[in-house]
Amino acid sequence: MHLDDMFERAEEYRAESAGVEHEVRVCMAASCQSSGAQPVFAALSEGGQGDACRVKAVGCMGLCSAGPLVAVAEVAAPNEAPVLYRDVRAADAPDILASVGRQPVERLRCPTDQPFFTRQQRIVLANAGIIDPDSFKGYVAAGGYFALIQALTEMTPAEVVQEVTKSGLRGRGGGGYPTGLKWSTVAKMPPGQKYVICNADEGDPGAFMDRAVLESDPHRILEGMAIAAYAVGANKGYVYVRAEYPLAVERIATAIRKAKRAGFMGNRIAETQFSFDVEIRLGAGAFVCGEETALMASIEGLRGQPRPRPPYPAQAGLWGYPTLINNVETYANIAPIIREGGDWFADIGTERSKGTKVFALAGTIRNTGLIEVPMGTTLRDIIEVIGGGIPGGKAFKAVQTGGPSGGCLPAAMLDIPVDYDSLRELGTIMGSGGMIIMDETSSMVDVARYFMEFCMSESCGKCVPCRAGTLQMHGLLDKIAKARGSAQDLALLEELCDMVQATSLCGLGQTAPNPVLSTLRYFREEYEERLAAAQV
Amino acid sequence: MPIPAPPTNVRVVTFQIDGRDYSAREDETIIEVARENGIPIPSLCYLEGLSTWGACRLCLVELAGSPRLVAACATQVAEGLQIYTDTPRLQRYRRTILELLFAERNHVCSVCVSNGHCELQALAQRYGLDHVRVPYRHVAYEVDASHEMFRVDHNRCILCTRCVRVCDEVEGAHTWDVMGRGSDCRVITDMNRPWGASDTCTSCGKCVQVCPTGALVKQGTSVGEMTKDLHFLPYITRRRHNR
Ligand SMILES: Cc1cc2nc3c(=O)[nH]c(=O)nc-3n(C[C@H](O)[C@H](O)[C@H](O)COP(=O)(O)O)c2cc1C
Ligand code: SF4
Ligand code: SF4
Ligand code: FES
């Protein structure tokens, strides 16, 4: 198959829906489903539609707090923002259907000229909320699988690695390790059995970026994995996804089946020499199983526990073979990079962090949901402008990034541009993109205790500092929070933070003290208030 | 037994430990070299002859020019390394790790059959641990005495998994496993059945011999009577690898 055939195929698929003038898109991702999207979709579908208007199930549109979301788009004007409706009920279906091509239903309208929509730049989420995630044709019609065919027919594996290196893409799973470098390490291992893994474990509380991508655009992940496999010389892949994401599992399984049937997965993909197969592995929802060595142990059928590195997965991974492991969002960036070129990608973002980042806004913020912004956007823009600020007239207090491995930043830090390095300098991390916003009523000691409790109960129990250290740190935090602690307790807590950070085996333990250390750095007075309260 | 010649494709490297020069094959770990040369790096989960586990973190050492500590049991030597095994920082961390272990279960040495022959106790003495600053958890764990020859007292287990590994890797029975998460992890026999009811246990006693504490002991021993013999292990593995 050649690129020209691919263009033809996309043209053909588009032609199949030639008569359609309007699309009524219903978000059927997990958030909107939980607020009642299914009856809405059923009512709209039943409501009778001519050939000119098609009702379509799509993925996440981002503004999850306003769900169920429905968008009416004019097919002939793909660049125009569709009319968006919020909090739609099944009873609204007739009105919406009647309005298609006429005046929008004002009472349901959600303005799309607000910064939440206009300030985003969508690469990873380009198709989310627009295409039907279960439709192979829909993905191809939107330009899907071009990059794979381009890589297979016009590029050598080394050129693919080079393009990814040039893009400056860094791993979106939290660590920010340069993706091109990781790929070239695996590629340089002697030929033989190799694996690629997609890490879709996503265990941080408050994070749902990867879930949304899988639910909205699963073929994009498969395409990214296939390109990666071609680049590093692997022919077998695993998607490791938590069983708590049943919809994501279902969508990725459907995508694999359809890609196979269409010849984009399996033996001799698109009539080239390249073969690639993907299987799904379900995780049981242990946070530590997102750690790469624990994840691989889990795939092998062993207890999900980390092991010392080196050897890194790139050298000796799954069953001892060289293994490339990347995050969902990392793979989601690959097809655009191959299609548009590494230089295009490297133009977006900051000096050392390229591209965009998807963030999940949660906590006390007006627009809860999913956003994608260029790296380097300031926290203020994200929270106050895009997120719409704090509801209920309260004041902003802190933003927590990076989940249990990250830290809390105060209002004084809101003007920093968000990238891997700036956040690290301030004592937190980018993590996978969870952002929890807290107002003046939150207590930072309680926040630190909450995250420590999470780490304590998610510690796999293998190494002593994390297993017994998180337990003792949690005990001390609890004591301080309940105004029973002393200055010695605080000193011991700080000592344990340092020890657990320096000595734990895996990232879970090494970063577990971060929420404590960052709140101590920016909100120390709150700890001292609790100590003072203990003395009276 | 003649000492085998090192395979020719493995290089020999030179490096420093605590300021003194050493050389070794590049596939040797820091702890192996240290043991050969009488440098006492503390360890609880490492045992010559078993696979690397890297979990007790007592063997962490410093490398010149790197802020990260590395586990001596899981790190191979390399040309030019400058390794420090006993800095004040390491001593502090090790003492704290030992404190955490003592507080995690009920290690009351005076009434333990392993009193005087316990690796945990010996390390606590070496690091001058005279009190524990964190509260004891005081969780009462089970004692399983259903096996006719041996006994497991979970209150004295430090979860080093030596028993799991020796049973799987040397005896080949794989009777032991770990269950649970965090501090409530437990070693179990078969699918969490009483040890005495185990179908796989061959009663070889290897797990008892390698257990560093009084968690695995022979039935019928009294305070301080349980001594352990680890010499069989390097011997078996050497024979097995035909060295
Ligand atoms: C405790 C722990 C949990 C992790 N959870 C995840 C996760 O849920 N998803 C993920 O992609 N990476 C997770 N990671 C990071 C992975 O170990 C690994 O670095 C990542 O998947 C590499 O992909 P990337 O280079 O594309 O970021 C976790 C790491 C640790 C230490
Ligand atoms: S740091 Fe925690 S999660 Fe990681 S290996 Fe140690 S006990 Fe397990
Ligand atoms: S029973 Fe003994 S050998 Fe087994 S894990 Fe516990 S302390 Fe280690
Ligand atoms: S001896 Fe190295 S971690 Fe236990």
Side-chain angles (χ1 to χ4, degrees), chain A residues 28-182:
Chain A
M28 291 287 270
S31 300
C32 278
Q33 283 207 20
S34 67
S35 47
Q38 243 158 2
V40 173
F41 181 66
L44 283 168
S45 306
E46 265 169 35
Q49 358 147 358
D51 287 339
C53 169
R54 178 200 283 166
V55 179
K56 185 162 129 185
V58 297
C60 184
M61 301 185 192
L63 195 55
C64 305
S65 54
L69 291 167
V70 173
V72 177
E74 200 180 325
V75 176
N79 291 329
E80 236 162 76
V83 178
L84 189 65
Y85 297 119
R86 57 180 299 162
D87 302 304
V88 180
R89 300 285 142 218
D92 300 322
D95 288 352
I96 293 179
L97 288 174
S99 79
V100 172
R102 303 198 184 84
Q103 277 305 309
V105 190
E106 285 307 330
R107 77 187 143 87
L108 298 171
R109 236 177 133 175
C110 177
T112 46
D113 54 358
Q114 53 176 322
F116 183 84
F117 296 101
T118 55
R119 291 290 302 274
Q120 293 197 41
Q121 180 174 4
R122 295 188 146 212
I123 297 173
V124 169
L125 298 175
N127 290 340
I130 296 174
I131 66 164
D132 175 355
D134 280 336
S135 163
F136 172 79
K137 292 181 177 178
Y139 182 63
V140 173
Y145 287 113
F146 278 64
L148 176 62
I149 301 302
Q150 188 183 342
L152 292 183
T153 58
E154 297 181 353
M155 297 167 86
T156 63
E159 281 166 354
V160 175
V161 174
Q162 229 167 45
E163 212 55 45
V164 173
T165 309
K166 211 196 292 172
S167 75
L169 175 66
R170 293 167 71 173
R172 301 296 195 236
Y177 190 81
T179 306
L181 189 56
K182 202 186 257 186

Side-chain angles (χ1 to χ4, degrees), chain A residues 15 52 65 102 105 182 282 299 350 360 397 417 429 443 457 497 524:
Chain A
S65 54
R102 303 198 184 84
V105 190
K182 202 186 257 186
L282 297 187
I299 292 182
T350 65
K397 182 163 191 181
I429 61 164
S443 144
S457 44
C497 282
R524 198 180 181 92

Side-chain angles (χ1 to χ4, degrees), chain B residues 52-129:
Chain B
T52 306
W53 190 236
C56 71
R57 315 307 283 169
L58 285 167
C59 72
L60 291 182
V61 295
E62 287 186 38
L63 301 181
S66 159
R68 280 184 82 98
L69 308 175
V70 299
C73 66
T75 309
Q76 290 175 348
V77 291
E79 183 65 37
L81 279 190
Q82 283 173 276
I83 303 158
Y84 296 94
T85 68
D86 203 28
T87 63
R89 180 177 176 217
L90 292 173
Q91 289 174 8
R92 206 170 58 236
Y93 288 161
R94 286 171 187 159
R95 207 174 299 122
T96 312
I97 289 174
L98 291 168
E99 283 181 74
L100 290 175
L101 278 175
F102 271 91
E104 189 176 38
R105 306 259 160 131
N106 270 349
H107 296 280
V108 184
C109 302
S110 56
V111 293
C112 180
V113 293
S114 288
N115 191 10
H117 318 286
C118 170
E119 294 183 36
L120 178 64
Q121 186 184 37
L123 283 174
Q125 282 160 351
R126 174 169 153 201
Y127 284 94
L129 202 71

Side-chain angles (χ1 to χ4, degrees), chain A residues 21-359:
Chain A
E21 285 166 19
H22 289 95
E23 283 186 345
V24 179
R25 301 172 183 154
V26 187
C27 172
M28 291 287 270
S31 300
C32 278
Q33 283 207 20
S34 67
S35 47
Q38 243 158 2
V40 173
F41 181 66
L44 283 168
S45 306
E46 265 169 35
Q49 358 147 358
D51 287 339
C53 169
R54 178 200 283 166
V55 179
K56 185 162 129 185
V58 297
C60 184
M61 301 185 192
L63 195 55
C64 305
S65 54
L69 291 167
V70 173
V72 177
E74 200 180 325
V75 176
N79 291 329
E80 236 162 76
V83 178
L84 189 65
Y85 297 119
R86 57 180 299 162
D87 302 304
V88 180
R89 300 285 142 218
D92 300 322
D95 288 352
I96 293 179
L97 288 174
S99 79
V100 172
R102 303 198 184 84
Q103 277 305 309
V105 190
E106 285 307 330
R107 77 187 143 87
L108 298 171
R109 236 177 133 175
C110 177
T112 46
D113 54 358
Q114 53 176 322
F116 183 84
F117 296 101
T118 55
R119 291 290 302 274
Q120 293 197 41
Q121 180 174 4
R122 295 188 146 212
I123 297 173
V124 169
L125 298 175
N127 290 340
I130 296 174
I131 66 164
D132 175 355
D134 280 336
S135 163
F136 172 79
K137 292 181 177 178
Y139 182 63
V140 173
Y145 287 113
F146 278 64
L148 176 62
I149 301 302
Q150 188 183 342
L152 292 183
T153 58
E154 297 181 353
M155 297 167 86
T156 63
E159 281 166 354
V160 175
V161 174
Q162 229 167 45
E163 212 55 45
V164 173
T165 309
K166 211 196 292 172
S167 75
L169 175 66
R170 293 167 71 173
R172 301 296 195 236
Y177 190 81
T179 306
L181 189 56
K182 202 186 257 186
W183 286 27
S184 78
T185 312
V186 183
K188 281 186 186 134
M189 293 299 287
Q193 182 67 39
K194 293 181 188 179
Y195 294 101
V196 297
I197 297 176
C198 172
N199 187 342
D201 191 56
E202 196 167 51
D204 325 19
F208 50 94
M209 301 74 54
D210 295 349
R211 186 189 73 195
V213 174
L214 290 173
E215 286 175 355
S216 308
D217 200 4
H219 283 286
R220 171 183 293 263
I221 305 305
L222 296 182
E223 184 176 6
M225 288 178 75
I227 294 170
Y230 173 70
V232 304
N235 54 26
K236 176 90 199 174
Y238 289 95
V239 179
Y240 187 90
V241 50
R242 49 180 41 222
E244 286 100 322
Y245 284 180
L247 188 60
V249 174
E250 199 185 299
R251 296 231 162 117
I252 195 92
T254 307
I256 292 174
R257 214 178 51 241
K258 293 197 172 170
K260 263 191 193 152
R261 204 184 302 149
F264 286 80
M265 182 81 50
N267 281 336
R268 307 204 49 204
I269 289 177
E271 295 125 49
T272 63
Q273 293 300 314
F274 174 66
S275 299
F276 181 60
D277 229 325
V278 175
E279 270 182 55
I280 300 176
R281 282 289 180 273
L282 297 187
F287 177 54
V288 72
C289 284
E291 197 277 340
E292 52 193 24
T293 59
L295 186 151
M296 292 187 305
S298 173
I299 292 182
E300 290 175 20
L302 304 171
R303 190 176 149 85
Q305 268 181 335
R307 60 156 174 81
R309 297 174 307 176
Y312 288 91
Q315 306 158 303
L318 211 50
W319 290 292
Y321 296 109
T323 301
L324 175 74
I325 174 163
N326 277 129
N327 166 260
V328 172
E329 196 182 328
T330 313
Y331 284 122
N333 277 300
I334 298 302
I337 287 174
I338 297 302
R339 217 168 40 221
E340 314 282 337
D343 289 331
W344 161 80
F345 192 83
D347 268 347
I348 308 165
T350 65
E351 179 70 34
R352 301 200 47 223
S353 303
K354 300 300 187 188
T356 58
K357 180 78 195 82
V358 180
F359 290 104

Side-chain angles (χ1 to χ4, degrees), chain B residues 170-232:
Chain B
V170 182
E171 177 62 7
H174 200 129
T175 300
W176 292 99
D177 254 309
V178 179
M179 177 182 130
R181 267 194 217 169
S183 273
D184 280 327
C185 276
R186 266 189 332 124
V187 286
I188 53 168
T189 40
D190 282 4
M191 302 299 275
N192 195 24
R193 293 198 303 163
W195 194 357
S198 165
D199 300 326
T200 55
C201 175
T202 62
S203 302
C204 73
K206 289 189 178 67
C207 54
V208 174
Q209 298 304 338
V210 300
C211 178
T213 70
L216 289 177
V217 296
K218 280 193 191 138
Q219 297 277 29
T221 45
S222 168
V223 174
E225 285 181 1
M226 183 68 217
T227 54
K228 305 213 169 169
D229 178 11
L230 289 168
H231 298 301
F232 72 95

Side-chain angles (χ1 to χ4, degrees), chain B residues 152 156-163 187 207 210-213 215-216:
Chain B
V152 53
R156 309 209 193 277
C157 173
I158 57 167
L159 297 168
C160 68
T161 73
R162 283 188 193 180
C163 53
V187 286
C207 54
V210 300
C211 178
T213 70
L216 289 177

